[in-house]
Amino acid sequence: VVFAGDGEPQIPQSMVTRITGLLQSDKLQPDTYSIGGSVEMLESRIAQELGMEAAIWMPTGTLANQIALRHHCGTKSRIVLQEQSHIYHDEGDALVKLSGLNAIPLAPGRPYFSVDELRKALEEATSGRVLNPVGAVSIESPVRRQAGQVVPWNEMRSITNLCHDEGIPVHLDAARLYMMSAATGIDVKKYASLFDSVYISLYKYFGAPFGAILAGPDKFIENMFHDRRMFGGGLPSSYLSAALALEGMNGFPARFNKSFNKAKALFEIINKLPGIEIRQFQNGSNIFELLITKNISTDQLIENLLNVNIVIPEPKNDWPVPLIHVNTTILRKSNSEIADSFSDAIKKSIEPAP
């Protein structure tokens, strides 16, 4: 059981086995530089599931976000987004370097900004000596840098309503959209209905080695493959990734819902053990905080659990305590077996009193 990451760990042997199975069942349909074949089948399927008119395959989420916001803005140069977003922190200032777009970060150190904060930013953009209106608004949810916390539905709806009233396109950076849907109980199509474009990842939990999908209206997606090629993203043999994603999507909502419900029941059992608590965020997704008392060694607990094939990630600099990630590997063992392993590991990790 791997309480880290969003999906099943992908190793070379399993990837080759899956591709071999797809070949034998005639489900590998070649593309021409990311056009047609299994790629087109995937684009059509996700567009339909999101209730969008069209979709286009991208090699990475970074490129999907870049091209989406580039198209939305046109000649306008300002984009409002979360200060904690992937676009702002983890894409190398690509907006300004590649497309001349200036990011206006809101809600520093927090998962999301409020509609009032956005309204103020929109007013500031049009009240200076030089008119410089906002060209697009981007919302990331769940927010990776904030332990997978999601933007609450009511706040998301208020923000997108304001954007639509002001005629400003709004983009959803939702690499983990299907996972967020399972955590909140809100359908992916309902989420997508609020936005002018949506990006989702194909490798985080659908089992593809790489890839992303950008969905939106026909006119928005039409001829976007030219920009994809301009940025070096029109890859040959993309059908291999697309076909693996198509396979990984089959039954995923049911599997993840089962995993999420199993995790809730498991954490109730574990939280009855002495010295440990698995705590859910108020607006959380599949990530939970692991809290332990001072007399229990975190390093020893992690090692003891690893010895019985339960993986807990070590604490990182960007979060003070270990974070438990729920994914479908939780289905590999019974809750009683996992809880017993935690109980034994805790007992072996208690440090002697000074």
Side-chain angles (χ1 to χ4, degrees):
V1 177
V2 183
F3 286 114
D6 300 310
E8 298 270 348
Q10 299 298 319
I11 60 176
Q13 293 91 331
S14 64
M15 195 74 71
V16 171
T17 298
R18 291 175 59 211
I19 290 176
T20 301
L22 291 171
L23 176 62
Q24 292 172 345
S25 57
D26 197 29
K27 292 182 179 179
L28 292 178
Q29 303 299 321
D31 62 276
T32 302
Y33 290 97
S34 304
I35 298 175
S38 296
V39 173
E40 185 177 351
M41 293 169 62
L42 177 65
E43 292 168 340
S44 298
R45 175 172 175 176
I46 293 183
Q48 182 178 17
E49 291 191 6
L50 299 187
M52 311 290 275
E53 292 178 347
I56 184 171
W57 183 90
M58 296 283 176
T60 68
T62 298
L63 185 58
N65 287 329
Q66 175 75 206
I67 292 182
L69 295 174
R70 178 187 178 94
H71 273 241
H72 282 316
C73 282
T75 59
K76 297 176 181 178
S77 62
R78 285 193 177 187
I79 292 173
V80 174
L81 38 62
Q82 297 124 300
E83 183 271 337
Q84 287 285 286
S85 67
H86 187 279
I87 295 175
Y88 188 72
H89 272 289
D90 302 301
E91 298 183 6
D93 288 340
L95 289 176
V96 65
K97 291 179 179 179
L98 301 179
S99 298
L101 302 174
N102 295 317
I104 309 299
L106 302 183
R110 295 186 282 121
Y112 60 93
F113 51 82
S114 68
V115 66
D116 290 333
E117 288 175 297
L118 174 59
R119 185 178 286 110
K120 182 179 179 181
L122 298 182
E123 291 172 355
E124 288 176 350
T126 56
S127 59
R129 294 182 65 186
V130 177
L131 189 67
N132 195 14
V134 170
V137 172
S138 176
I139 295 177
E140 178 182 330
S141 188
V143 184
R144 183 188 64 80
R145 281 180 168 269
Q146 287 291 304
Q149 295 179 74
V150 305
V151 180
W153 171 257
N154 288 338
E155 196 68 57
M156 188 180 284
R157 186 170 55 183
S158 297
I159 290 170
T160 54
N161 283 343
L162 174 61
C163 291
H164 295 148
D165 290 344
E166 297 292 331
I168 299 172
V170 57
H171 172 67
L172 178 60
D173 176 0
R176 300 164 175 84
L177 176 60
Y178 283 74
M179 186 198 68
M180 177 171 68
S181 173
T184 63
I186 298 172
D187 189 74
V188 294
K189 188 175 292 187
K190 188 173 181 179
Y191 273 121
S193 68
L194 299 181
F195 294 86
D196 297 286
S197 60
V198 178
Y199 143 64
I200 66 168
S201 173
L202 300 177
Y203 79 87
K204 296 187 186 300
Y205 45 82
F206 287 150
F210 58 90
I213 287 288
L214 176 63
D218 279 328
K219 290 185 178 179
F220 180 74
I221 299 296
E222 185 181 18
N223 293 322
M224 192 175 278
F225 69 92
H226 291 299
D227 276 18
R228 180 180 64 188
R229 182 174 294 171
M230 178 184 70
F231 279 102
L235 307 183
S237 302
S238 301
Y239 72 97
L240 295 171
S241 173
L244 287 166
L246 278 167
E247 180 205 41
M249 291 179 68
N250 293 333
F252 176 81
R255 290 196 306 274
F256 200 86
N257 276 320
K258 183 178 180 180
S259 304
F260 205 77
N261 291 331
K262 188 174 188 289
K264 289 180 179 179
L266 171 65
F267 296 162
E268 287 182 6
I269 299 172
I270 292 177
N271 284 346
K272 294 178 182 178
L273 300 175
I276 187 169
E277 178 188 1
I278 298 178
R279 186 169 65 187
Q280 185 174 14
F281 291 95
Q282 181 178 359
N283 297 302
S285 56
N286 72 319
I287 302 177
F288 300 73
E289 288 184 309
L290 176 62
L291 308 177
I292 57 177
T293 53
K294 292 182 179 180
N295 66 323
I296 297 175
S297 166
T298 300
D299 291 341
Q300 193 62 52
L301 177 65
I302 291 173
E303 182 178 342
N304 289 333
L305 286 170
L306 184 60
N307 289 336
V308 290
N309 298 317
I310 296 177
V311 178
I312 300 293
E314 295 182 358
K316 296 182 179 180
N317 294 332
D318 58 354
W319 208 261
V321 299
L323 295 173
I324 298 284
H325 296 241
V326 174
N327 53 53
T328 53
T329 66
I330 198 174
L331 302 176
R332 296 174 178 177
K333 293 187 177 187
S334 68
N335 276 0
S336 59
E337 186 178 0
I338 299 172
D340 287 345
S341 295
F342 265 85
S343 179
D344 291 341
I346 291 170
K347 294 174 183 176
K348 295 176 181 178
S349 305
I350 296 176
E351 297 180 322

